[in-house]
Amino acid sequence: MLEVTGLRVSYGGIQAVRGITFHVNEGEMVALIGANGAGKSSTLRALARLLEPAGGSVRYRGKELVSLPPYQLVGEGIALVPEGRGVFPRMSCLENLRMGAYARNDKAEIERDLEHVLGLFPRLKERAQQTAGTLSGGEQQMLAIGRALMSKPKLMLLDEPSMGLAPIMVQKIFEVIRTVSLEGMTILLVEQNAKLALEVSQRGYVMESGEITVTDESKKLLADPKVRAAYLGE
Ligand SMILES: Nc1ncnc2c1ncn2[C@@H]1O[C@H](COP(=O)(O)OP(=O)(O)O)[C@@H](O)[C@H]1O
Ligand SMILES: [Mg+2]
């Protein structure tokens, strides 16, 4: 579904992503793990066309994305849940969720999807009328994921959904990510929390200083002594 070849991202003279190659098959959940500063978010931002890559190719369902204007990405079925969530703070939960569907006009289906999202996140249903800016960090993360789901994506790009959240919230959010994956969604999951990411994904890539250094099935990475020493705190 997604085929990234030789992707490079630079900020001025600094090379944050140094020619990485990876792919995501339809229906898969793939983890991209690595320490802070490894280049994970830069990779996602380049895929979401929020920044212009310095080089490389991003093919998505056979189409070259690098030449596509960013506003067309939602229409292509790609949704980014950015680091830091980016909910609209003055809008209610419900308004945020409806914003996720702004590019759609299948009214009846939007309502069905809204019910589905509120079913995945009962917490959001309870807080439907609450202003998003007053939600807890975990609830905002739920809302950001819910809003992305409302665009009815084929590919979800998740940037550090566990960041800064209490373990119980992380658990709830990852249960939903797992459910959405089982429902057939293709997911690229970026996480510093390598253990969590490798436990829910099928395959993983390890990123270090802008390069992919290891890739394997997630369960093999979880058992790999080098990965365990470097990323699982052992
Ligand atoms: N907007 C920016 N301007 C300059 N440098 C940046 C910017 N964003 C990220 N970087 C640098 O790029 C590198 C990779 O950052 P990032 O992609 O955010 O890593 P990660 O998400 O893995 O923590 C880091 O050295 C970071 O300091
Ligand atoms: Mg990041």
Side-chain angles (χ1 to χ4, degrees):
M1 182 177 241
L2 182 73
E3 191 157 17
V4 177
T5 314
L7 182 70
R8 290 189 288 122
V9 174
S10 297
Y11 300 105
I14 299 164
Q15 269 198 59
V17 179
R18 302 164 178 261
I20 62 170
T21 294
F22 67 97
H23 69 277
V24 183
N25 298 316
E26 187 154 6
E28 250 189 334
M29 171 144 46
V30 170
L32 183 61
I33 61 171
N36 192 19
K40 304 180 302 297
S41 294
S42 300
T43 300
L44 281 199
R45 286 199 291 266
L47 297 183
R49 305 281 298 117
L50 296 178
L51 53 78
E52 203 62 44
S57 135
V58 179
R59 288 189 78 77
Y60 165 75
R61 306 175 88 214
K63 204 186 250 183
E64 181 55 64
L65 281 194
V66 166
S67 56
L68 212 68
Y71 64 84
Q72 278 189 15
L73 272 196
V74 174
E76 292 291 331
I78 299 180
L80 170 69
V81 180
E83 198 174 337
R85 292 127 205 173
V87 299
F88 303 111
R90 288 169 199 275
M91 290 185 181
S92 72
C93 265
L94 217 48
E95 286 166 338
N96 267 273
L97 291 174
R98 289 192 183 282
M99 282 300 288
Y102 78 93
R104 299 172 55 183
N105 45 31
D106 47 343
K107 268 202 151 101
E109 228 180 304
I110 290 173
E111 293 312 307
R112 271 203 299 280
D113 289 345
L114 188 57
E115 281 314 306
H116 183 58
V117 167
L118 293 174
L120 287 171
F121 294 114
R123 186 73 75 102
L124 295 182
K125 191 167 191 172
E126 288 162 29
R127 286 163 175 70
Q129 306 305 331
Q130 191 175 323
T131 309
T134 64
L135 297 171
S136 76
E139 290 159 0
Q140 288 190 22
Q141 184 66 60
M142 291 174 176
L143 186 55
I145 294 172
R147 188 181 58 186
L149 287 171
M150 286 303 296
S151 73
K152 208 177 174 189
K154 296 187 177 76
L155 171 66
M156 274 183 97
L157 310 172
L158 294 172
D159 198 351
E160 305 255 15
S162 79
M163 197 197 268
L165 304 184
I168 178 77
M169 266 299 175
V170 172
Q171 211 178 355
K172 283 199 174 128
I173 285 163
F174 270 72
E175 262 166 38
V176 173
I177 294 173
R178 203 193 283 264
T179 302
V180 168
S181 166
L182 288 172
E183 286 172 358
M185 183 77 69
T186 309
I187 298 175
L188 178 59
L189 171 66
V190 159
E191 264 295 338
Q192 247 184 87
N193 189 331
K195 184 166 186 289
L196 201 59
L198 293 175
E199 278 169 358
V200 296
S201 59
Q202 284 91 55
R203 288 190 303 117
Y205 294 88
V206 178
M207 209 170 167
E208 282 173 61
S209 309
E211 294 180 72
I212 287 173
T213 51
V214 191
T215 178
D216 211 330
E217 286 169 31
S218 297
K219 56 174 181 283
K220 290 194 179 146
L221 290 175
L222 272 172
D224 181 326
K226 269 182 283 183
V227 172
R228 296 185 77 87
Y231 299 103
L232 303 175
E234 289 181 8

